[in-house]
Amino acid sequence: DVEGRSGVAANADALARRIAALPADDRRFIVVGHSKGAVDALQMLVDHPRIAQRTAALIAVAGALQGSPLADHLDGLYGVTFGAFPFSACSKGEGTPVLDLQRAARTAWWSAHGSGLTVPVYSLVSVPEMTRLAPTLYTSFLALSRISRYNDGMLLAEGQVAPGGAL
């Protein structure tokens, strides 16, 4: 299973194992990834070219494709809170899930892999009104609103689109 508290590389390999275990089928498929799951899926497509050949498209739903300003500042806090907290249904994971979502890390990833990506990436961007936002996201929504009001409390709208894409 893919772990929310694991790094991108580990989750990409876990996704690849799940897809490899599917029954043989010549049809191409579409991969859908939400938030960090879109980043995990991108890494899988780069690391596993056979899976990329079978993939018609990646649909990123509020995907952290270009990272988040929140991740730029929260790695230390994550380590002493969610990263350390023993959730009963979620292992502690491995890797650096917050570091993987920092904007510099995502920019470096796109520089290294973007031109070689053979699968089209489509983005569904999330930009709710504050009145439709979960109360737990109010604080981060307001923090991101200092940069752009077009955010979902975790990601800026423009950060949910692959480089070279358009809103």
Side-chain angles (χ1 to χ4, degrees), residues 111-136:
S111 293
H113 304 291
S115 64
L117 191 62
T118 59
V119 176
V121 178
Y122 300 96
S123 299
L124 296 175
V125 176
S126 173
V127 186
E129 295 293 326
M130 190 166 176
T131 57
R132 309 265 312 162
L133 198 65
T136 55

Side-chain angles (χ1 to χ4, degrees), residues 11-38:
N11 284 346
D13 288 341
L15 288 169
R17 286 191 300 277
R18 297 284 270 192
I19 290 172
L22 293 173
D25 190 331
D26 291 336
R27 294 177 294 176
R28 298 179 78 203
F29 51 86
I30 295 172
V31 176
V32 178
H34 173 254
S35 193
K36 182 179 170 289

